[in-house]
């Protein structure tokens, strides 16, 4: 595994000769309650990309550390100080620009690894617009876009939550992310500030302008009680293994 921001341009060219899988981690700068840093989504996407890339001999790009606007149901919304979000068109344009440049370099295989729930469709739009450009110019690049959490095995979720998994949308700054941060970046977690019982309570509809109704004052959408290093290790190791397996099967890699 190598990071492009730590390579010289000549070293980069040399690595590209092997047609590696190139990873683009994408996160956000968003409140994650009192215990977790606002860069949690970007940190986890980066570490996940690096861990998977190390299994498939991949190349990791610098992370897009800002994401689309936080929504109440999946990130607490835009009412919290510190959350810095992009317009959808900005994220689309950044994604498209990066892919265009990678195509110019000769990259043939790209994995966009998302760590922020709200990013999904704007990344997709950027990818599709870039593909339209590439096709028009006769270039080709195979691009996969995925969210890392979709690969956590159900039996792991059942173990971690005792069979009461609330769904990923409500797992903002809650048990999963807190446990992962306790495993990967424990020095950034304020353990004494972890909320135990906070629970979002939303209406069926969304309201704009956002007013924060239904979001706990902490910004944590579901209970984080029981978060631990061991649970983080279980979640991370199983997720990394599943992503690596899926990519190896798709691209015909030996791992």
């Amino acid at each position: 595994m190598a990071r492009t921001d730590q390579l010289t341009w000549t070293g980069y060219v040399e690595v590209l000769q092997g047609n590696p899988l190139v990873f683009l981690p994408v996160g956000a700068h968003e409140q994650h309650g009192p215990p977790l840093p606002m860069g949690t989504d970007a940190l986890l996407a980066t570490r996940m990309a690096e861990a998977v890339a190390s299994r498939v001999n991949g190349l990791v790009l610098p992370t897009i550390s800002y994401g689309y606007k936080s929504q109440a149901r999946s990130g607490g919304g835009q009412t919290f100080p510190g959350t810095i979000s992009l317009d959808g068109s900005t994220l689309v344009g950044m994604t498209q620009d990066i892919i265009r440049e990678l195509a110019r370099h000769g990259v043939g295989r790209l994995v966009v690894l998302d760590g922020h729930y709200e990013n999904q469709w704007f990344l997709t739009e950027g990818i599709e617009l870039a593909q339209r450009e590439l096709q028009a110019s006769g270039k080709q690049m195979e691009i996969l876009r995925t969210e890392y959490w979709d690969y956590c095995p159900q039996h792991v979720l059942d173990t971690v939550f005792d069979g009461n998994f609330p769904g990923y949308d409500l797992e903002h700054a809650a048990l999963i992310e807190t446990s992962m941060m306790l495993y990967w970046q424990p020095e950034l977690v304020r353990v004494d500030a972890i909320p135990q019982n906070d629970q979002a309570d939303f209406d069926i509809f969304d309201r704009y302008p956002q007013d924060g109704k239904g979001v706990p004052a902490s910004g944590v959408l579901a209970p984080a009680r029981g978060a631990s290093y061991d649970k983080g290790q279980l979640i991370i190791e199983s997720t990394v293994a599943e992503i690596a397996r899926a990519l190896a099967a798709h691209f015909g890699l030996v791992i």
Side-chain angles (χ1 to χ4, degrees):
M1 188 275 291
R3 291 187 54 100
T4 63
D5 55 356
Q6 297 174 7
L7 294 173
T8 63
W9 76 265
T10 52
Y12 175 63
V13 169
E14 183 177 343
V15 172
L16 287 186
Q17 300 310 305
N19 191 27
L21 283 188
V22 177
F23 290 80
L24 174 61
V26 189
H29 190 283
E30 177 188 43
Q31 73 81 22
H32 273 71
L36 301 183
M38 291 186 288
T40 291
D41 288 348
L43 286 166
L44 294 180
T46 303
R47 295 296 296 266
M48 190 65 67
E50 291 174 343
V52 175
S54 69
R55 298 217 179 183
V56 299
N57 198 27
L59 187 61
V60 181
L61 296 162
T63 303
I64 299 179
S65 295
Y66 295 96
Y68 180 66
K69 298 180 187 72
S70 179
Q71 300 298 304
R73 294 177 185 274
S74 50
Q78 289 290 118
T79 61
F80 289 85
T83 295
I84 302 173
S85 301
L86 302 177
D87 287 344
S89 58
T90 304
L91 183 55
V92 169
M94 290 179 67
T95 305
Q96 185 178 2
D97 287 350
I98 291 168
I99 293 171
R100 183 189 301 119
E101 288 294 277
L102 294 175
R104 181 173 65 83
H105 305 159
V107 170
R109 305 185 294 185
L110 176 66
V111 178
V112 180
L113 189 61
D114 182 27
H116 178 60
Y117 205 85
E118 290 88 337
N119 285 341
Q120 300 178 47
W121 304 120
F122 300 98
L123 294 174
T124 298
E125 180 71 357
I127 291 167
E128 291 190 335
L129 291 177
Q131 289 283 27
R132 185 185 302 172
E133 282 187 43
L134 298 186
Q135 289 166 5
S137 63
K139 296 180 180 179
Q140 291 187 339
M141 183 188 302
E142 184 170 6
I143 304 173
L144 304 185
R145 192 225 81 213
T146 189
E147 286 66 49
Y148 69 76
W149 50 80
D150 287 337
Y151 290 87
C152 187
Q154 187 61 48
H155 71 86
V156 171
L157 295 174
D158 290 341
T159 298
V160 170
F161 287 93
D162 295 325
N164 296 309
F165 177 51
Y168 282 113
D169 51 346
L170 286 179
E171 266 301 297
H172 177 73
L175 190 147
I176 289 178
E177 288 187 321
T178 304
S179 294
M180 292 175 71
M181 288 294 289
L182 284 170
Y183 179 71
W184 259 335
Q185 303 265 191
E187 73 281 3
L188 298 180
V189 181
R190 292 184 53 201
V191 177
D192 60 331
I194 296 175
Q196 298 298 301
N197 299 303
D198 284 6
Q199 182 69 60
D201 182 19
F202 296 119
D203 291 319
I204 294 175
F205 51 81
D206 294 319
R207 59 170 56 79
Y208 300 92
Q210 296 186 24
D211 60 9
K213 184 177 179 181
V215 180
S218 68
V220 177
L221 301 188
R225 63 178 179 272
S228 69
Y229 173 99
D230 289 341
K231 288 180 180 178
Q233 182 177 22
L234 177 61
I235 292 166
I236 288 166
E237 290 182 350
S238 61
T239 301
V240 168
E242 287 299 317
I243 297 174
R245 241 190 313 268
L247 294 178
H250 179 79
F251 289 107
L253 305 174
V254 177
I255 59 173

